[in-house]
Structure formats: structure tokens, C-alpha cells
């Protein structure tokens, strides 16, 4: 039997989610009214707004009807992980869309950019509202290490979208970097899925120790990638002049990959510090 819970719409998190639904809907509606584009950046932005709108609306609906309690998943972990993912996706869309598609006389495009930025602020606020507070018992994905796992996976996805198989397939060093990105991404994805589906007990050893060991390994692997990727990507490969005249350029993608590799290394270092704190300090007290 469905039970309507109006309180879910009046609490701060509920209000924030309703506003997210409104602003993401306005964003993709304004952009769609301008016209369709085959540009991959346009497709990414539209997918982001539509995806976040649909999932956020689904979360609001399930909580309002209390159907979320009947799902065989960790609901708090799922909603917190999605809030973090929504923050990152909408942030990317809020940067990409105005760079490539707005102008001083483009009223609808500017409006979509503004509402997208507001949606980003709301998703970031939701992360702050749902994140586990010190001393509070909650799911793993509501903690800082859990949120970092979502961040690491998202950054890896950006790296994958910039990769060109015809470029790295000829160089063993670049192939190693792609292997690093893939292995670390797969582990982060496994942790996220297993946490949401409440399957962490299937790990053959204590989860915190496995997490710490894999984070240390990821840091070591990413350190090599931070050095190897720029070395083999830019050695005897200056920036082509055409890159300043076109929207997309392979050389620019190599720069993005280099930056995102360094960013993910920093994320894994912070993640490892939190993991050590969890294993060697909190577990002993």
C-alpha cells in the first residue's frame, strides 16, 4: 500500500530537490527551444540536464510515496552518490555550454546557463545536507571517502571521453596509462555498486582494509600516469595551429587528460589519507 509522505517535500532536502527538478527542466527546455545540434558537447549538456531531471524527479516521487523503503538498496547511499554525481555533471555542463554555445545576444542560451549554474549550486547544497556528519552513523557513500569514489569515477569518465585509440594504441607507455585509468575506474565503480546494493559483505576481507590497499595501489599507479602521459603525448608533438581555429582538437584533449590525471591523483591521495585514518585511528579507538 502506497503511503504519501508530504513531509519529504517540506524538509530542506526535499525543497532543494524540487528546485533541482525545476531548474534542470528549464535548462533543457530553453536549449531544446533553440534547436537541435549534432555537436557532442551539446549532446552531453542535454543528456546531463535530462538525466538529472529524471533521476531527481524519480527520487522525489519514490520518497513522497514511501516506495523507496521497499527497494532492496541502500537508499541514503544511492541519493548521496547521485547528488555528488549530479553536482559534477551539472558543473561540467554549466562550463561547457556557455563556452561553446552562448553569445551576447543569445538570450535563451544565457538563461539556460544561469539555470544550470543554479542547479549546480542546489546539487552541491544537497551533498552538504546529506553528507554524513562527524560521529553520525551512515552509509559509506555518505562519507568523504564515499563521495571521493564518485568523484574519482566521474573524472575517469572524462578521461575516457578524451581518449583516442588510434593515438595511444601505438605506444606502450600510453597503453599503460589507459590501463591505470581503467583499473582504478572499475574498482571505484565496484565499490559504488556494492555499497548501494548492500553487497560489501561479499568482499573476502574487511572492506576498510581492502579499500586502503586499493587506494595505495591507485596512488602509485596514478603517479606513473602523471609522468608517463604528458611525456609521451607532448614529446616532439607541439600544438597544431589548427587547434586555435576549431572547437575540438585532439591535442587539446591530451592536455585535458594530463590535467584530469593530476586531479584524480590528488583525489586518490586524499582518499588514501582518509582510509588510513579509518583503519589505523578510528578502528583502534
Amino acid at each position: 500500500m502506497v503511503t504519501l509522505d508530504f513531509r519529504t517535500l517540506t524538509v530542506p532536502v526535499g525543497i532543494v530537490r524540487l528546485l533541482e527538478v525545476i531548474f534542470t527542466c528549464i535548462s533543457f527546455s530553453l536549449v531544446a527551444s533553440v534547436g537541435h545540434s549534432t555537436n557532442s558537447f551539446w549532446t552531453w549538456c542535454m543528456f546531463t540536464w535530462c538525466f538529472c531531471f529524471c533521476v531527481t524527479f524519480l527520487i522525489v516521487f519514490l520518497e513522497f510515496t514511501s516506495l523507496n523503503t521497499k527497494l532492496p538498496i541502500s537508499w541514503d547511499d544511492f541519493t548521496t552518490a547521485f547528488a555528488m554525481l549530479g553536482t559534477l555533471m551539472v558543473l561540467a555542463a554549466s562550463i561547457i555550454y556557455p563556452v561553446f554555445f552562448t553569445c551576447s545576444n543569445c538570450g535563451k542560451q544565457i538563461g539556460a546557463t544561469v539555470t544550470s549554474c543554479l542547479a549546480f549550486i542546489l546539487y552541491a547544497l544537497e551533498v552538504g545536507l546529506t553528507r554524513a556528519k562527524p560521529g553520525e552513523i551512515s552509509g559509506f557513500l555518505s562519507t568523504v571517502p564515499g563521495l571521493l569514489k564518485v568523484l574519482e569515477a566521474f573524472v575517469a569518465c572524462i578521461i575516457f571521453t578524451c581518449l583516442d585509440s588510434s593515438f595511444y594504441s601505438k605506444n606502450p607507455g600510453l597503453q599503460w596509462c589507459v590501463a591505470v585509468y581503467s583499473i582504478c575506474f572499475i574498482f571505484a565503480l565496484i565499490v559504488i555498486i556494492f555499497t548501494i546494493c548492500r553487497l560489501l559483505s561479499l568482499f573476502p576481507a574487511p572492506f576498510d582494509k581492502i579499500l586502503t590497499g586499493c587506494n595505495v595501489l591507485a596512488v602509485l599507479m596514478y603517479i606513473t600516469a602523471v609522468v608517463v602521459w604528458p611525456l609521451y603525448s607532448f614529446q616532439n608533438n607541439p600544438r597544431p595551429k589548427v587547434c586555435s581555429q576549431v572547437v575540438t582538437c585532439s591535442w587539446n584533449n591530451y592536455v585535458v587528460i594530463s590535467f584530469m590525471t593530476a586531479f584524480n591523483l590528488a583525489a586518490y591521495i586524499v582518499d588514501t589519507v582518509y582510509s588510513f585514518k579509518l583503519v589505523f585511528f578510528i578502528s583502534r579507538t
Side-chain angles (χ1 to χ4, degrees):
M1 182 177 179
V2 176
T3 303
L4 301 182
D5 187 0
F6 288 92
R7 190 181 64 85
T8 60
L9 304 178
T10 57
V11 295
V13 174
I15 295 173
V16 167
R17 287 173 180 158
L18 288 175
L19 292 174
E20 291 166 357
V21 169
I22 293 172
F23 285 125
T24 52
C25 180
I26 293 174
S27 295
F28 72 71
S29 298
L30 286 173
V31 173
S33 67
V34 175
H36 180 267
S37 173
T38 58
N39 186 285
S40 59
F41 289 125
W42 186 92
T43 303
W44 163 258
C45 293
M46 280 295 286
F47 169 76
T48 293
W49 295 319
C50 293
F51 173 74
C52 291
F53 166 81
C54 292
V55 177
T56 306
F57 181 82
L58 180 64
I59 290 173
V60 171
F61 174 78
L62 291 176
E63 288 198 342
F64 177 63
T65 57
S66 301
L67 292 175
N68 63 302
T69 59
K70 304 182 185 301
L71 298 177
I73 63 173
S74 175
W75 183 253
D76 289 339
D77 281 318
F78 169 70
T79 53
T80 303
F82 173 73
M84 184 65 179
L85 179 62
T87 301
L88 298 170
M89 292 180 68
V90 176
L91 173 61
S94 300
I95 295 173
I96 292 172
Y97 188 77
V99 169
F100 294 104
F101 302 104
T102 61
C103 61
S104 58
N105 298 322
C106 303
K108 291 183 178 180
Q109 291 90 329
I110 294 174
T113 301
V114 172
T115 53
S116 182
C117 291
L118 291 174
F120 158 68
I121 294 172
L122 289 167
Y123 278 109
L125 179 60
E126 183 183 348
V127 172
L129 291 172
T130 57
R131 185 178 70 84
K133 309 301 186 293
E136 185 178 81
I137 299 176
S138 61
F140 171 73
L141 293 180
S142 299
T143 63
V144 173
L147 295 175
L148 285 172
K149 278 285 167 276
V150 179
L151 174 62
E152 292 156 4
F154 179 78
V155 172
C157 288
I158 295 178
I159 292 175
F160 293 143
T161 59
C162 296
L163 287 173
D164 181 2
S165 59
S166 63
F167 176 69
Y168 68 77
S169 61
K170 303 174 183 178
N171 191 303
L174 297 180
Q175 290 176 7
W176 162 253
C177 294
V178 175
V180 170
Y181 305 142
S182 302
I183 293 171
C184 295
F185 170 76
I186 291 171
F187 176 73
L189 196 61
I190 289 174
V191 170
I192 293 170
I193 294 174
F194 273 49
T195 302
I196 292 176
C197 296
R198 297 174 176 171
L199 299 175
L200 293 180
S201 59
L202 297 180
F203 281 104
F207 173 67
D208 54 352
K209 291 181 173 57
I210 292 178
L211 187 65
T212 302
C214 290
N215 283 340
V216 171
L217 182 61
V219 169
L220 297 176
M221 293 172 70
Y222 259 92
I223 288 175
T224 64
V226 164
V227 177
V228 172
W229 180 269
L231 178 65
Y232 287 98
S233 296
F234 304 120
Q235 190 176 39
N236 301 321
N237 183 25
R239 187 172 189 259
K241 294 181 179 179
V242 69
C243 287
S244 60
Q245 303 170 355
V246 296
V247 175
T248 58
C249 172
S250 297
W251 196 91
N252 291 343
N253 287 343
Y254 306 152
V255 176
V256 173
I257 293 172
S258 299
F259 174 78
M260 288 300 172
T261 301
F263 184 89
N264 234 10
L265 172 60
Y268 274 108
I269 290 174
V270 175
D271 197 357
T272 302
V273 171
Y274 271 96
S275 298
F276 271 103
K277 180 180 177 182
L278 180 67
V279 173
F280 295 104
F281 292 96
I282 296 179
S283 61
R284 291 183 178 181
T285 57

